Amino acid sequence: MNKKATMFLSVFLFLGVLFTAQAQVAVKDVAIDKLLDEVRVTIACSGTPNISSFVSQEPPAVIVDVMDGVSQVAQERISSSYYPVTAVTVKPSEATSGIRVTVLLRQLVRHRITNENGVITVSLGTQPLPPPPAPEPEDQFSGKPPLTLLVQDAEVTSVLRMLARQFDLNLMITQDVKSVVSVRLNEVPLRAGLEALVKAAGCNIVEDRSGVLIVKPVKKEMYGELQTRVFNLDYIEAEDVLKVIKKALSPVGEATAGYRRVGTKGGAAERSAVLVVSDVPEALDEVAKIIAELDRPVPQIAIEAKFIETTHSAEDRWGIDWTPVASFGTELPKIGEEVAIPVIVKEMLFGKISFARFSAALELLSSRGRSRVLANPRTLTLDNQTATVSMGIDVPIREVHKDPNTGEITYTWKTRSIPIKLEVTPHVTSDGMITMHVRPSVEAITGWVGSADDRQPIVARREAETQVKVAEDEVVVIGGLVRDEETRSVGKIPLLGDIPILGHFFKKTSVERTKSDLMIFIIPHIINPEG
């Protein structure tokens, strides 16, 4: 070997030794001190070490692993008289290819680990920890202690291999996982810490059927990576959930609504009560959180309505003197907006009164002796669902049919409904108020046309639409549904009153005109899901 080759080999060996010295961190000294209400174990190192830590239940100990480390400590075991530390051992670790520092304890206590300027500090309290909780269902992470991980500019593959050996995990890493990470995790659950670590490296974890964890880049798809979960919905339609969870799905995720038949044969209906989602586990967890927020019991609202008809004199414009309650409004309300009420819409008056005023109004109407309750229906509806209350009379009307061929005239009867209809769509707000979309529609016979044998009713119709907001102890009142009715009665002398022409002198026709007002009281009650 010539002189140049010998010189080149010497330089190469020197650089190799220098590189190895720089790559490895030496544990130089370990000290145990008592400071007020805690005990501190100080581990001095050359350089800034990358460390991982966990707690051993039996025997009780705090274990700190120094990656790629060597020991320069004279003693492998350092005894302690400071409770709760019994001793500290410093030994090479074949499992982690470094140095393992074990702080042996009499009992497990709260601890804190820091790593700054080449000094690892383990601060231990003196109060014993409560017994650990019962382990979760069996998997690789069941019964595993929390993870403390303090690394800087380390290869993620090296960190993962260390954790796999440290916590006895079945872990595989694909060849294209290449990243340098700096991580600071303190006492986090092992699964959460491992998922955060691989996420920082642009990777995710796929667990196959045998329970082996596979770490791969996020962009690389792998068979078995997607999982399918079925969500049975109780209160919300799957079609509505699909619109909400789109942003929570990953680029490879899919969601499909399933239908469940409800009812019996002949009248069965379908409800989208099942949601099937296929996606990566992280996205499925987000979808589950969203569904848990949306699929909740909705409140029910009991709607009680009172239809009261009263006759009144000319000075009783609305049937109730509203002057002490509030001033009248003159602007038409916009649907969806709360308005100052009472307000007049198409000659109908909308207002709200307290339950005490409602009781007083009923007493007033009862004292007048000219009022009657037409109906007192009750119904139950869900939040944001329309409840309909309808009542009325059926009026028989004669129809004349003439046969074009024979000229024969026949008579048939049909009925015409004259309804009073009320539609209420309630919504319970977050502050406990009730917003109601109210739509009353009233039809009334105001007169008749035609001969005595073929009378046809003249029907007047009034309807309005508005939205009001009330508390649970308030009553919505709809008034102003005034009807003028004319009643004609004929009195005559028998036989003489039936004589043509002359009979008019033996008849007396009296006309009675009455004015009645229909008032509708709406009383909402919130029924909580708990009953």
Side-chain angles (χ1 to χ4, degrees), residues 346-411:
K346 299 179 181 178
E347 299 183 359
M348 291 187 186
L349 179 138
F350 293 85
K352 63 179 180 180
I353 56 176
S354 66
F355 195 82
R357 284 187 177 273
F358 168 67
S359 301
L362 291 184
E363 291 181 5
L364 172 64
L365 294 174
S366 176
S367 65
R368 294 173 58 174
R370 291 177 293 173
S371 303
R372 60 182 180 135
V373 177
L374 298 181
N376 184 22
R378 296 175 177 88
T379 186
L380 190 67
T381 185
L382 293 175
D383 190 40
N384 288 322
Q385 299 296 319
T386 301
T388 302
V389 176
S390 180
M391 57 170 289
I393 59 173
D394 292 333
V395 179
I397 300 174
R398 190 176 72 168
E399 291 184 333
V400 180
H401 303 277
K402 183 176 182 182
D403 192 321
N405 297 324
T406 62
E408 182 181 359
I409 298 176
T410 59
Y411 300 93

Side-chain angles (χ1 to χ4, degrees), residues 159-177:
V159 178
L160 289 171
R161 283 195 295 267
M162 180 189 70
L163 295 178
R165 291 190 294 263
Q166 195 176 58
F167 291 95
D168 193 23
L169 300 176
N170 296 320
L171 186 69
M172 295 180 61
I173 307 171
T174 61
Q175 293 181 349
D176 43 5
V177 175

Side-chain angles (χ1 to χ4, degrees), residues 135-282:
E136 297 178 356
E138 287 296 328
D139 61 13
Q140 285 204 68
F141 300 95
S142 296
K144 293 291 194 295
L147 168 67
T148 296
L149 184 63
L150 305 172
V151 299
Q152 182 176 356
D153 297 332
E155 288 286 342
V156 68
T157 52
S158 300
V159 178
L160 289 171
R161 283 195 295 267
M162 180 189 70
L163 295 178
R165 291 190 294 263
Q166 195 176 58
F167 291 95
D168 193 23
L169 300 176
N170 296 320
L171 186 69
M172 295 180 61
I173 307 171
T174 61
Q175 293 181 349
D176 43 5
V177 175
K178 297 178 181 178
S179 181
V180 176
V181 294
S182 296
V183 182
R184 182 180 180 85
L185 299 174
N186 189 20
E187 287 291 304
V188 298
L190 179 58
R191 178 187 286 274
L194 196 61
E195 290 176 350
L197 173 64
V198 299
K199 188 178 293 185
C203 302
N204 65 340
I205 299 177
V206 178
E207 185 172 357
D208 67 4
R209 295 181 179 178
S210 61
V212 176
L213 305 176
I214 303 173
V215 180
K216 65 167 194 64
V218 173
K219 296 181 179 180
K220 180 180 180 180
E221 295 185 14
M222 179 177 293
Y223 179 77
E225 177 181 4
L226 297 183
Q227 297 180 7
T228 300
R229 197 177 300 179
V230 178
F231 298 93
N232 291 301
L233 307 177
D234 296 320
Y235 306 101
I236 191 171
E237 295 289 330
E239 295 288 350
D240 298 329
V241 178
L242 284 175
K243 303 173 185 177
V244 180
I245 66 172
K246 286 182 178 179
K247 293 184 178 180
L249 298 175
S250 72
V252 296
E254 292 183 352
T256 306
Y259 292 86
R260 182 177 296 158
R261 190 171 294 276
V262 180
T264 58
K265 57 183 180 180
E270 287 187 343
R271 175 176 177 266
S272 56
V274 179
L275 188 68
V276 182
V277 184
S278 297
D279 211 330
V280 296
E282 296 87 351

Side-chain angles (χ1 to χ4, degrees), residues 326-348:
S327 60
F328 291 107
T330 57
E331 296 182 358
L332 294 179
K334 296 180 180 178
I335 301 303
E337 295 183 3
E338 185 183 0
V339 297
I341 53 179
V343 68
I344 303 172
V345 185
K346 299 179 181 178
E347 299 183 359
M348 291 187 186

Side-chain angles (χ1 to χ4, degrees), residues 484-488 511-515:
D484 292 324
E485 188 171 356
E486 181 179 286
T487 304
R488 292 177 177 268
V511 179
E512 182 181 358
R513 294 181 176 86
T514 59
K515 180 179 290 187

